[in-house]
Amino acid sequence: MATGTRRAQRRTEALSRERIVEAAVELLDAAGESGLTFRVLTERLATGPGAIYWHVANKRELLVAATDAVVADALAARSTGSPREEVHAVALGLFSAIDAHPWLAAQLLLQLSRSPGGPVTPRILESLGRRVRALGVPEEHWFTATSVLMHYVLGAAGQNAANSQVAEPDADRAEFLAATAQAWEALDPEEYETTRLMASQMREHNDREQFLAGIDLVLAGVAALYPGGRA
């Protein structure tokens, strides 16, 4: 009996929570949320379900852990530049993570709305909030400024990822943008005057540059509302 217990403990130690989460991320990347099942996970890890349940209670907890692990990696890179440059670095880290993991945007939305107590939401808020503080924003406005910045980052990055997912698999980005610009230019000139004039700018835009331009617009608003800061 004692020997069996020791063997079970060794198996549990060998199969760490980190390895389970790593395998879950791999499955999510390959097949999305529907492809992440405990049956498939046990096959990938060559173990029994009991060993996994020892570390993770259910699929919801596993999704939270996988989301947190990817976000933590995205925020790990540090910038030693100005507060603005650090905001750019944090934002681009999240942008790249959401672009690389098609399931992440939806999970972040769920975490922010269903489980704002953690661990994902506080991690992102802390990372951005520290930079907001460094910009000289008064304490009573930290939450508003940080929340607006966070929602822009996650919303814009999520939209970019969604655009990539719905595009034709073999479509060339330049061809896609050219076709879209052509469609805009063909709109009624009275009803869609401004959209038609923006068509050429849309055709030539760079997604990451546009994303960072949006960050700077938010930071410019922060500087205008809270003068004396360092945005």
Side-chain angles (χ1 to χ4, degrees):
M1 184 68 174
T3 300
T5 301
R6 285 195 295 271
R7 288 175 179 170
Q9 288 175 341
R10 284 199 296 270
R11 285 198 300 270
T12 300
E13 291 168 359
L15 183 65
S16 66
R17 179 181 173 90
E18 289 73 19
R19 177 65 190 112
I20 294 171
V21 171
E22 180 184 345
V25 171
E26 293 170 357
L27 287 173
L28 287 165
D29 288 346
E33 184 179 343
S34 62
L36 176 62
T37 67
F38 274 58
R39 179 184 63 80
V40 176
L41 193 58
T42 56
E43 292 175 356
R44 176 174 286 257
L45 294 170
T47 188
I52 294 178
Y53 282 116
W54 177 272
H55 295 282
V56 183
N58 50 50
K59 182 175 179 177
R60 181 174 180 178
E61 181 181 332
L62 185 56
L63 285 167
V64 172
T67 303
D68 187 46
V70 172
V71 168
D73 285 344
L75 298 177
R78 295 182 178 273
S79 170
T80 56
S82 67
R84 173 182 171 276
E85 290 170 334
E86 291 193 7
V87 169
H88 278 204
V90 171
L92 280 177
L94 291 169
F95 182 94
S96 297
I98 292 172
D99 188 53
H101 304 280
W103 53 273
L104 185 59
Q107 282 303 312
L108 284 171
L109 179 62
L110 286 175
Q111 297 306 318
L112 264 63
S113 59
R114 292 183 181 178
S115 305
V120 178
T121 303
R123 189 184 297 280
I124 298 174
L125 278 174
E126 180 65 24
S127 186
L128 290 173
R130 289 185 181 185
R131 278 73 187 185
V132 167
R133 289 180 62 181
L135 290 170
V137 176
E139 182 176 353
E140 62 269 26
H141 301 296
W142 287 353
F143 175 70
T144 297
T146 304
S147 296
V148 169
L149 186 57
M150 179 180 70
H151 287 302
Y152 168 77
V153 169
L154 299 184
Q159 183 63 55
N160 176 76
N163 292 344
S164 299
Q165 291 176 46
V166 300
E168 293 293 332
D170 298 326
D172 178 83
R173 182 179 184 278
E175 293 178 358
F176 175 78
L177 293 179
T180 303
Q182 187 176 8
W184 287 8
E185 290 166 345
L187 293 170
D188 182 274
E190 293 185 3
E191 189 172 2
Y192 297 100
E193 178 185 7
T194 304
T195 301
R196 292 177 75 250
L197 292 172
M198 289 190 296
S200 62
Q201 298 173 23
M202 189 280 299
R203 179 191 283 114
E204 300 169 359
H205 86 279
N206 177 280
D207 291 333
R208 287 177 179 257
E209 290 178 1
Q210 183 186 46
F211 175 70
L212 291 178
I215 295 289
D216 288 339
L217 286 173
V218 174
L219 296 183
V222 169
L225 284 172
Y226 314 119
R230 294 178 291 279

